[in-house]
Amino acid sequence: MSDYLLVASIDFGTTYSGYAFSLTTDFKRDPLLIHSNQTWNSGTAQLLSLKTPTCILLNSNRKTKSIGYEAESDYSRIKEEDNENQEDYYFFHRFKMILYDNENLKHQRLKDVTGKTVVASEVFSKFIKALKDHLLTHFDETGKAIEPHEIRWVLTVPTIWRDASKQFMRECAHQAGIDDNKLVIALEPEAASIFCLFQENSRASNERRLLNRTGQKYMIIDLGGGTADITIHERLPKGVDCEYPSLKELHHAIGDDCGGTQVDNAFMEVLRDILGQKLVNLMKKKQPSAYLELLREFETFKRREITDKNYIRIPLVTINELIEELGEDDVDKKIKMSKYKNKIKRNREKFCIDAELMKSFFGPTIDRIVSLVKETSKIKAIKEVSLFVLVGGFSECKYVLRALKEALPNKTFIVPDDPGLSVLKGAVIFGHERIIESRVMMNSYGTKIFEPFDPKVHEMSRKKRAGGRYICPKIFDFIVKKNESVPVGTTIKREYLTDEPQQCYMDLAMYKSDSEFTEYTDEEGCYRVCDATIDIPNPSDEKRTVEIEYLFGDTEIRMTAVETDSGESCNTVLKFI
């Protein structure tokens, strides 16, 4: 993958997405000389224009019409113009989290805002393609002579995603026209950590400069729209053949689905209680611009301090129109009739929300984040880590930072400049240079084998008769163990024999366990995670030996195979489940 002139990263976020890039020549001169799109139209709300909302609008033929802010505007205009074909459009909004802990990605369908469904992989691939094409159009318009095959692409994913979700994203990128050999998957908190590592001393506060000390250990807390991802790194010195320092992971990643969108959901739940589910659904369907503007308004508020009186602008004209259409009570009467009558007042086109209620929107999510960080900091291997770095869009919420400081008063918390862009820009650096030295395994991985039964080793209940002898089946044969530190690019070899004459392929299942002491593949917490098919070149009547080489330590698990006698490579297909 050395034949590239430019690295481009795509940060596919729950709430906002974007891309960034840098030329290899620029990187050698200044690793932080990273460019991103400056022209996203952010509407009327004062939001970051370097990213755009994670939404996509498809026409009746399921062709991409627009994405991001433009998709929001286009869909709103279509709905408000009462276009007779408006029901033929598909509008998908904040759809990334369907990949979190989902066990049926292959057949998963996404619902758009009106309930119509499209296969999830189609929506994801079209969104990735739109971002990719937007970047390529930018090159054409600015006269940059960059061909698609000269680009190394980096696609970001949460660390805590399953292997199947990572493979799903890779397959969607392939459908979007990105060559597999030109694509790297980056883990979001790792990318953010790398960006912090490269920030210049001259730009950093005294606390931030701690990150530049060799041997410094720190916790990266990536707070996004959908997830909170935690990883712990140690800064290592520069290598003999590398001019940049590297990072060693001290403990496997930890995380949960406690991101900023859950705060939005809590706010919208209160709004539904006051205005009524029917009215909010009608606003979403008939006046989507008002609904989306309300979400943007609250997104902006999440970055402010919570005071005694907190003002949120509401689409009052739209709400009044819908109230009249439904023949319901006016807004003020709805507030008085609700359980929030002493906590919310209307002041012209704004809701004035008291501090107690406002904090309740944030409370459950922040409590989960604080609990996650506290429990992680108790782990024996990282107890001494005292420097915590907050990144991701939700880290800009001052309430989160205050809650963490109060819960862990002996720790030092820092938030880098533009924390919402740290993953996006760090992913570009990740694509240029191997910065991560090693990773700690989050799970154990192995295969299923059988052995001659030995009563001194095996449980009697597992004794089975096969072919005139007794065996013990379903033994978990470790490839790597949970909590094992694995250098990037580690390869582990195993040999397997064919079972039948003229066997033209071999099926091999890989198992994952949440324990480092698993003995059998049918134990609780152990399950099949991957099916591999290995083609046998030139099948014959003789038994053939195939050497499998497993690659661990990278962001994705890989496998290659060779027929031992001939040395011929075997085509190998992995399917994570």
Side-chain angles (χ1 to χ4, degrees):
M1 291 183 63
S2 60
D3 56 337
Y4 65 94
L5 299 179
L6 177 142
V7 169
S9 70
I10 294 177
D11 181 11
F12 196 132
T14 301
T15 313
Y16 293 97
S17 299
Y19 62 75
F21 61 92
S22 75
L23 293 161
T24 54
T25 51
D26 288 342
F27 180 79
K28 290 173 183 176
R29 189 168 76 253
D30 179 3
L32 290 173
L33 191 56
I34 299 169
H35 309 278
S36 52
N37 180 51
Q38 305 285 328
T39 59
W40 299 120
N41 178 14
S42 61
T44 58
Q46 298 302 307
L47 298 173
L48 285 170
S49 62
L50 297 177
K51 286 187 177 182
T52 197
T54 304
C55 59
I56 184 169
L57 178 64
L58 308 179
N59 65 17
S60 58
N61 296 319
R62 301 207 306 274
K63 302 293 185 183
T64 303
K65 180 173 177 56
S66 49
I67 64 166
Y69 290 114
E70 189 179 351
E72 290 183 348
S73 299
D74 287 346
Y75 185 65
S76 298
R77 187 179 65 255
I78 289 166
K79 300 296 287 187
E80 289 161 13
E81 288 177 352
D82 201 24
N83 188 311
E84 63 179 9
N85 297 320
Q86 62 178 264
E87 296 304 321
D88 294 336
Y89 286 86
Y90 300 80
F91 182 69
F92 297 93
H93 183 244
R94 296 186 177 184
F95 50 88
K96 175 185 173 181
M97 281 301 287
I98 196 171
L99 298 188
Y100 177 74
D101 210 22
N102 191 320
E103 296 183 0
N104 189 29
L105 292 176
K106 183 178 180 180
H107 305 291
Q108 185 65 53
R109 298 184 71 86
L110 281 179
K111 283 186 179 181
D112 85 334
V113 293
T114 63
K116 300 190 296 295
T117 65
V118 174
V119 175
S121 59
E122 182 178 343
V123 179
F124 276 80
S125 62
K126 280 179 164 60
F127 187 75
I128 294 170
K129 184 177 187 302
L131 287 172
K132 180 202 75 170
D133 291 348
H134 196 283
L135 174 58
L136 296 178
T137 300
H138 166 78
F139 291 154
D140 289 341
E141 292 174 347
T142 55
K144 286 186 173 67
I146 301 291
E147 297 295 329
H149 69 271
E150 296 173 322
I151 301 173
R152 172 183 284 182
W153 295 92
V154 182
L155 185 60
T156 66
V157 301
T159 306
I160 58 174
W161 269 8
R162 297 164 60 244
D163 298 300
S165 297
K166 295 176 188 177
Q167 186 176 58
F168 176 88
M169 290 297 284
R170 174 172 283 279
E171 290 172 351
C172 289
H174 179 76
Q175 292 175 35
I178 296 176
D179 188 338
D180 270 348
N181 295 322
K182 294 290 185 180
L183 178 66
V184 179
I185 298 294
L187 307 179
E188 290 170 358
E190 285 189 355
S193 182
I194 289 169
F195 180 67
C196 294
L197 187 73
F198 273 74
Q199 286 189 312
E200 298 175 44
N201 285 341
S202 59
R203 301 180 191 176
S205 64
N206 288 334
E207 288 178 334
R208 284 236 314 273
R209 290 178 188 177
L210 293 172
L211 290 171
N212 295 312
R213 297 191 317 191
T214 297
Q216 179 66 58
K217 299 175 182 179
Y218 59 94
M219 182 186 294
I220 286 280
I221 307 168
D222 180 16
L223 305 177
T227 58
D229 266 359
I230 295 175
T231 192
I232 300 91
H233 282 156
E234 178 182 353
R235 180 187 171 115
L236 302 178
K238 296 178 182 179
V240 177
D241 301 320
C242 181
E243 59 182 298
Y244 305 110
S246 58
L247 295 171
K248 173 185 178 181
E249 190 176 49
L250 299 179
H251 191 273
H252 67 73
I254 295 171
D256 204 353
D257 59 335
C258 46
T261 54
Q262 295 201 11
V263 180
D264 302 350
N265 295 341
F267 167 67
M268 291 305 299
E269 188 61 39
V270 169
L271 207 65
R272 281 190 284 269
D273 284 348
I274 294 172
L275 300 178
Q277 182 73 51
K278 188 183 293 185
L279 190 149
V280 173
N281 286 346
L282 197 60
M283 175 166 52
K284 198 189 235 183
K285 184 176 181 181
K286 299 187 71 172
Q287 299 285 346
S289 60
Y291 178 79
L292 294 169
E293 196 61 47
L294 182 59
L295 286 178
R296 285 186 207 165
E297 171 71 14
F298 189 70
E299 184 70 26
T300 305
F301 179 86
K302 286 194 295 188
R303 295 171 171 83
R304 302 179 201 153
E305 290 279 6
I306 295 177
T307 62
D308 291 338
K309 295 181 178 180
N310 304 278
Y311 292 93
I312 302 289
R313 185 177 298 279
I314 61 169
L316 186 61
V317 173
T318 297
I319 290 172
N320 284 335
E321 288 176 355
L322 296 175
I323 282 174
E324 185 177 349
E325 182 178 336
L326 293 170
E328 296 181 348
D329 294 327
D330 63 34
V331 176
D332 295 328
K333 192 166 184 181
K334 283 177 176 290
I335 294 173
K336 287 179 182 178
M337 295 291 289
S338 76
K339 60 185 176 183
Y340 305 105
K341 61 183 178 181
N342 297 321
K343 298 181 182 299
I344 295 180
K345 305 293 180 187
R346 184 179 68 84
N347 187 336
R348 297 187 179 180
E349 294 187 352
K350 295 180 179 179
F351 274 167
C352 178
I353 305 174
D354 76 359
E356 183 183 358
L357 180 58
M358 185 59 75
K359 288 179 180 178
S360 74
F361 301 150
F362 292 81
T365 300
I366 290 179
D367 286 347
R368 288 178 66 190
I369 291 171
V370 169
S371 176
L372 190 65
V373 175
K374 285 178 71 174
E375 289 305 309
T376 304
S377 63
K378 291 177 183 176
I379 295 170
K380 185 177 179 180
I382 54 176
K383 263 188 174 181
E384 73 276 15
V385 174
S386 60
L387 181 62
F388 291 15
V389 184
L390 268 63
V391 296
F394 195 39
S395 68
E396 296 180 60
C397 172
K398 296 178 174 61
Y399 193 22
V400 175
L401 180 59
R402 185 177 298 113
L404 285 168
K405 284 183 173 179
E406 289 174 358
L408 296 158
N410 298 322
K411 306 294 185 182
T412 299
F413 289 88
I414 60 177
V415 182
D417 296 334
D418 295 329
L421 299 176
S422 56
V423 171
L424 179 64
K425 293 185 175 182
V428 175
I429 300 172
F430 178 84
H432 280 292
E433 192 69 38
R434 196 188 88 175
I435 303 300
I436 306 298
E437 187 73 22
S438 62
R439 295 183 176 90
V440 176
M441 298 304 302
M442 195 183 304
N443 300 95
S444 297
Y445 288 87
T447 56
K448 180 172 64 174
I449 63 171
F450 68 88
E451 294 177 351
F453 184 80
D454 183 347
K456 296 179 181 178
V457 176
H458 305 129
E459 298 173 4
M460 288 300 298
S461 61
R462 294 185 175 273
K463 185 178 180 180
K464 303 291 181 183
R465 189 173 182 84
R469 58 175 179 157
Y470 288 104
I471 64 167
C472 180
K474 299 183 179 180
I475 293 173
F476 186 88
D477 183 35
F478 282 94
I479 303 171
V480 290
K481 288 192 175 184
K482 180 177 180 177
N483 295 322
E484 181 181 350
S485 181
V486 179
V488 169
T490 294
T491 57
I492 298 113
K493 296 180 180 180
R494 295 282 191 277
E495 287 190 345
Y496 302 92
L497 283 171
T498 56
D499 297 321
E500 303 171 355
Q502 297 296 324
Q503 187 171 330
C504 58
Y505 68 90
M506 179 185 294
D507 287 329
L508 183 67
M510 189 186 300
Y511 290 77
K512 176 195 282 187
S513 170
D514 57 15
S515 169
E516 55 202 289
F517 305 107
T518 303
E519 293 185 77
Y520 304 100
T521 58
D522 57 359
E523 289 181 18
E524 185 177 353
C526 182
Y527 52 94
R528 195 170 97 260
V529 71
C530 175
D531 289 329
T533 301
I534 302 105
D535 289 342
I536 309 296
N538 307 311
S540 66
D541 289 336
E542 299 176 354
K543 284 198 172 185
R544 308 281 285 281
T545 304
V546 175
E547 183 180 74
I548 305 290
E549 187 172 85
Y550 299 97
L551 178 65
F552 280 88
D554 288 353
T555 55
E556 299 173 275
I557 298 170
R558 296 181 185 277
M559 182 192 295
T560 59
V562 174
E563 202 275 317
T564 307
D565 290 340
S566 66
E568 190 172 344
S569 295
C570 306
N571 182 53
T572 305
V573 177
L574 276 71
K575 185 62 181 177
F576 286 95
I577 52 180

